[in-house]
Structure formats: C-alpha cells, structure tokens
Amino acid sequence: MLFHKDRTSTRVHGSVIHLMGALACLLFVWFFGTRDLTTVPLANHDELRTLSHIFGRSVNTPLSLQETITNVAANSEQHGPLYFILLNVWSRVAGSDLFVLRLLSTCFALLSLAAIYRLAGISRLRHQALAAMFIVSLNSLFLFYSRELRMYTVLPFLVAWIVCCYWRLLATTERVNWWTWLSLALGCGLILYLHYFGIFILAAVAMYHLLFVQKNRRWVHIALALIGGGLLFLPWLPTVLKGLEGFSNKSFSGMSAFESLVSLGNVYSNDFWILPLGALIIVAWYPKLLGKPQRFLLILTFLAIAVLLLANEIKPILIPKRLRYMLLLAPLLGSALAIAWNFLPRRAPVQFLLAAVWMLSFFTYSQNENSYIAAKRKSLESLHAPPFYTLVYHPNIEVRPTEAVLSLHPSRKITWITGDYYQKLIKPSSLVHIYYDGGGSLTIQPHGQPISSLDEFVSRYAAFWLLYDPQETDERSMGDIFWWTRNYYRSCGKYLEETHAVVERYVRDSDPC
C-alpha cells in the first residue's frame, strides 16, 4: 500500500513538473513575442504590404473580405489569401492598433507550440512532447516571426494539424469520426491557401502514404481525403500560375544541397551542430527502440527535407534571406530532435545540463550574423521609420488635434501607409515628414493638407512635436532644419530621449508651453 502511494505521488509530482515546463515554454514565447510589438517601427516592406491588403488606401476601416482577396490576387499573387483574410477579421474584432495586429502572429505561435506538443506526443511519451515544445520555443527564426505581420507562425500550426490528423487515421483500423477526415482534407486545402510552400509537406505525406503504408481500403480513403483537400485549392490555381510566371522570370542566388542542409542545421540547432549530429547518432544507435509513431515522424521529416532539396535543384527556393519559409519544418524537425532527446538518461542533472546548453546556444545564436540574415533582420535595420510609436504609447505625451507632428530623416521618405497609419493613431492636425531627396533637395512630405514651404508650415502651426531617431538623424545631417526650428519656435523641452527616439515639443515664442 505504501509503495502504491509512493508511485502515485511520483506520478503527480512528474505531472506538475511537466505542466510547469509546458507553461514556461508558452510564457517565454508570449513574453518574447509581445516585448517589441509597439517599439519596432512599422516600416519593413512585408508588413506594409500586409496592411495594404487589409486597409487598402486608408486605415480608417478595413477592406471587405472580397476586396482583400481581390487585392492579394492582383498585387501579391505569390501568396495565398488565408492569412490576410484572418488578419482582416481579426482587425474587425480586436482593432487596428499595431500591438493588436501583430498579436495575431504571437497567438498563432502559441497555437503552433500546442500543436507541436500534440504531434510529438503521438507516441504517448509526454517527455518527448515537452522536449519538442521546448526545442521549438527556443528557435530564433520562430520567435522573430512570432511578432511580424506575416503568416509564418501559422505554417507550423497547419503542418502539425495535418500530420496529426493523417497519423490518427493511419494508426487505427477502427471507425474514426467524420471530423478527423474533414480536418485532414481542410488542413490540406488551408495550408495551400496560406502559403504555396505547403505543397512540400503534402508531397512528403503523399510519398509516405505511397511508399510505407499498406494498400487497403483505409489507404484508399486517406488518399481520397488528401486529394479532396488538394482540390479545394483549384479556385485559386489561376492566381498561382500567374504568380509562378512572375517568379520564373526572377533570378535568385540559391544554395546547393549541402549549403541548404548547413543553413537548416544552423537555424534549427542554434548553430550548435553537435546537437543534431548527436541526435542522428542516438537514433541510428537505437533503431529497435523506436516505436511506430517515432519511425513515422523520422521518415516524414526525412521525406520533407528531401522534397525541398529536390525542388531547390530544379528552381532555387532555399535562399539565405528567405529561410522564413522553412518554418513549415519546425514541427517535424522539433519532433525528430525530441525523439533523440527522449533516449537520453532521465536523470535530472543530464536533462538540466542539456536544457541549459540549448538555452545558451539560443541566446548566443540569436545575436549571430547568420541568425540576422536568416530572419531578415540585417536588411530590416536599414528600413527604420521615424519613432512615431512613442507618440502613441508614451503616457506623458499627448498630441492635441491642432498640433502637427514633424518627423525628420536625412535621406528617406516614409511610405503612404506608414504615415496614414500613425496619422490615424496619433490624430494630429497633420503629420509632416522632411528629408533630402537623391539630389540633396529639401523635400516636405505631408500626410494631410499640402505644404509647399517651411514658411507655410510656420504660418499654419503654432505648436508641433518634433521626433527623430538620433542614430540616423542629428544636427550634423540636418543642421539647417534644426536651425530653422529654433529660429521660429522655442523648445518646451525633450519629453523623451532614448537610444532610438527623441521627442521634443515646440511652440511659437509668444505662446506658453
């Protein structure tokens, strides 16, 4: 009786630790995803294109769903419309604030982790499921796109969904409810509507089904469900062909098969190659200990990578700055690494040491140049917009409706949707941007009524807020504008002075601050 109580207590204790570990993974991704949702300027090309599909030429009201679909088909035929439809609906329910809009990607990152836990747990090994969750939650590519206005955290969710449904139908000969069959077919259709690279996962599943599954009535039914899901994509096929035509005319500097494997290894091992190599050795050393679900996950992972490498030989698709597409491999690679992890000794020191090494490798790799290139952060550094977000979220700054906001940059104008978006949130009488064009001429770019000269600005506005990024704009680069500002106005002081943001308020000499 005492022995039975001890075993029950041990199981309860293990369940508590397991639950705490899963919650820690979710909280880490939530914290990392929401940390910079407002302080990262809305400036990069991908996010601006996303908003253009949701708000069109105005951010006052979202486009209709049909208008969003038409906009994507006309201007972004390289992408499916699903994510933009989801974001359109999300903006109607949650609002158009940048924090809320980017939060959708964070929510899908959490859903993806839960789905990866479910996928890695098909062998009914909780330790393995938690390991997969932990491995993916500390992936720099996954975390970077957990706060971007793009579809890349939805990809792992759909991949895990499809593979889980497929395995559930495959693993039993008993009657399965209609919802599982429908889920498999819907998942196959939805992943293609989300991103065309989903075809590589479907191809890997189809190859596994053809090569490794016994041909019987269940095999036929599953094949029909896969085909039926693919047929759901037929209405969008003309748009795909149009996008492929434009894609075929572009020349990309792709990577060889070896370079592609190295890049994938860097991304998914945090540039710590001993971990995937060790995983391969462990799995090869204990092949007889692998259960059927584990063999299924390992073979499917191998097939998915093989399909991608083969496609890359035909047309370069694996490009250093476009590895974000490879997030569709996160559920499979995370599960494969977790299988090897599960073979390690369960003694606490070994597990804690491995977890500590994995965490250290993540924080080191996340500051590595290769990580910056893979996540496109290196190119985004040159796309900064003025720090408008400070006027929206700083508690001590309140822009009155009669005041203007004047932003400065020595050489870069801002896109219409950046200005229009922040104009709506800040609600000044006018948002005015000043920069020098390619010929060195001063250019005034208003996002309100036209302004032909600085004298007209002075006559129109008795007070304004000046903001700029001090690392890009200073008196050396725009000294004449700073002189003009102080010649016609007086400063009420700096309301904010940070590394990437300075905010000052100016009024006419005769007016009080």
Side-chain angles (χ1 to χ4, degrees):
M1 185 68 177
L2 181 61
F3 176 73
H4 175 71
K5 287 184 178 180
D6 288 342
R7 279 202 317 184
T8 303
S9 175
T10 301
R11 283 200 302 268
V12 172
H13 181 68
S15 297
V16 171
I17 294 177
H18 183 86
L19 178 61
M20 290 176 63
L23 286 175
C25 292
L26 293 172
L27 288 173
F28 177 77
V29 172
W30 173 263
F31 170 78
F32 196 95
T34 57
R35 184 183 57 177
D36 296 323
L37 288 185
T38 57
T39 57
V40 174
L42 177 63
N44 78 71
H45 174 76
D46 287 343
E47 288 195 306
L48 293 176
R49 172 159 293 193
T50 296
L51 287 183
S52 71
H53 297 322
I54 308 304
F55 298 109
R57 297 294 301 183
S58 173
V59 295
N60 292 319
T61 55
L63 297 171
S64 68
L65 294 182
Q66 182 59 52
E67 287 173 328
T68 289
I69 294 171
T70 303
N71 194 310
V72 173
N75 301 306
S76 188
E77 61 272 8
Q78 293 86 3
H79 297 98
L82 179 59
Y83 171 75
F84 306 106
I85 293 172
L86 291 173
L87 188 62
N88 187 309
V89 174
W90 176 263
S91 69
R92 294 170 184 273
V93 175
S96 59
D97 181 89
L98 186 58
F99 178 91
V100 170
L101 292 175
R102 285 173 168 166
L103 192 62
L104 181 63
S105 294
T106 307
C107 291
F108 268 106
L110 299 178
L111 288 174
S112 292
L113 280 184
I116 289 168
Y117 178 92
R118 181 70 182 87
L119 174 62
I122 60 175
S123 56
R124 302 185 184 280
L125 297 172
R126 293 189 311 166
H127 188 74
Q128 179 178 301
L130 181 59
M133 195 179 192
F134 176 70
I135 289 168
V136 177
S137 67
L138 287 170
N139 178 268
S140 62
L141 196 66
F142 179 77
L143 286 170
F144 178 80
Y145 283 100
S146 70
R147 57 192 183 199
E148 284 274 298
L149 278 171
R150 298 301 278 174
M151 70 288 295
Y152 300 112
T153 55
V154 190
L155 265 177
F157 172 71
L158 286 179
V159 170
W161 173 4
I162 291 168
V163 178
C164 278
C165 290
Y166 175 71
W167 172 254
R168 185 173 180 186
L169 295 172
L170 198 65
T172 181
T173 57
E174 298 179 359
R175 183 181 180 86
V176 180
N177 61 59
W178 63 270
W179 171 245
T180 305
W181 292 96
L182 181 62
S183 291
L184 177 62
L186 280 176
C188 292
L190 289 176
I191 198 170
L192 294 176
Y193 278 107
L194 178 74
H195 200 286
Y196 303 155
F197 271 41
I199 189 67
F200 299 124
I201 293 297
L202 299 186
V205 172
M207 289 177 64
Y208 183 90
H209 198 62
L210 185 64
L211 298 175
F212 297 97
V213 180
Q214 183 181 1
K215 311 304 185 288
N216 52 28
R217 181 176 293 183
R218 176 58 62 88
W219 184 92
V220 173
H221 290 168
I222 294 175
L224 290 175
L226 293 172
I227 294 170
L231 291 176
L232 295 174
F233 192 63
L234 283 179
W236 195 255
L237 197 56
T239 303
V240 177
L241 296 177
K242 179 184 174 184
L244 290 177
E245 182 180 349
F247 180 78
S248 63
N249 295 329
K250 298 179 179 179
S251 59
F252 296 104
S253 179
M255 297 184 289
S256 66
F258 177 75
E259 289 171 333
S260 300
L261 284 174
V262 170
S263 295
L264 287 174
N266 286 339
V267 167
Y268 281 102
S269 69
N270 293 329
D271 209 13
F272 193 66
W273 270 87
I274 192 173
L275 294 175
L277 289 177
L280 286 174
I281 293 171
I282 290 172
V283 170
W285 194 265
Y286 299 107
K288 294 183 180 180
L289 295 181
L290 293 172
K292 188 176 179 180
Q294 294 170 318
R295 288 196 297 271
F296 162 71
L297 289 172
L298 290 172
I299 293 172
L300 193 61
T301 302
F302 172 81
L303 290 175
I305 294 173
V307 168
L308 281 164
L309 294 178
L310 178 61
N312 189 59
E313 291 298 314
I314 300 171
K315 176 70 178 180
I317 57 175
L318 296 175
I319 301 166
K321 292 182 180 180
R322 296 192 173 193
L323 288 178
R324 56 190 181 275
Y325 302 149
M326 295 303 100
L327 279 175
L328 84 165
L329 292 176
L332 295 176
L333 284 171
S335 298
L337 290 172
I339 290 170
W341 188 309
N342 190 60
F343 285 141
L344 295 175
R346 296 293 180 86
R347 296 172 184 173
V350 175
Q351 296 292 327
F352 283 131
L353 177 62
L354 183 58
V357 169
W358 185 250
M359 292 179 69
L360 179 62
S361 66
F362 160 73
F363 287 111
T364 302
Y365 178 66
S366 62
Q367 303 302 319
N368 185 293
E369 184 176 358
N370 290 332
S371 170
Y372 275 60
I373 293 173
K376 210 176 55 169
R377 282 185 289 173
K378 202 170 185 64
S379 60
L380 292 183
E381 288 178 352
S382 63
L383 294 174
H384 284 165
F388 297 115
Y389 60 87
T390 57
L391 301 179
V392 180
Y393 300 104
H394 197 283
N396 296 326
I397 296 177
E398 182 179 355
V399 181
R400 298 168 186 171
T402 58
E403 296 175 337
V405 170
L406 179 62
S407 58
L408 305 178
H409 195 283
S411 61
R412 193 174 302 123
K413 66 179 181 179
I414 56 177
T415 62
W416 71 264
I417 201 166
T418 299
D420 195 25
Y421 180 81
Y422 285 110
Q423 172 90 46
K424 177 194 173 189
L425 293 185
I426 303 170
K427 296 179 181 177
S429 60
S430 185
L431 191 154
V432 182
H433 184 64
I434 295 180
Y435 68 101
Y436 297 108
D437 64 15
S441 299
L442 182 70
T443 303
I444 302 175
Q445 183 187 2
H447 285 271
Q449 298 179 9
I451 299 175
S452 59
S453 66
L454 294 177
D455 289 339
E456 184 177 346
F457 182 94
V458 174
S459 64
R460 186 180 298 179
Y461 300 108
F464 70 92
W465 293 82
L466 179 71
L467 76 159
Y468 55 91
D469 183 339
Q471 295 196 354
E472 299 179 340
T473 304
D474 54 23
E475 296 200 34
R476 184 169 50 184
S477 61
M478 301 190 75
D480 53 342
I481 300 301
F482 282 90
W483 175 87
W484 164 80
T485 299
R486 290 160 186 162
N487 191 45
Y488 287 92
Y489 296 89
R490 65 186 179 93
S491 174
C492 293
K494 293 183 178 179
Y495 282 63
L496 183 68
E497 188 171 13
E498 296 179 346
T499 304
H500 293 285
V502 172
V503 179
E504 300 179 66
R505 185 170 182 267
Y506 284 86
V507 297
R508 288 180 181 156
D509 292 335
S510 58
D511 296 338
C513 284

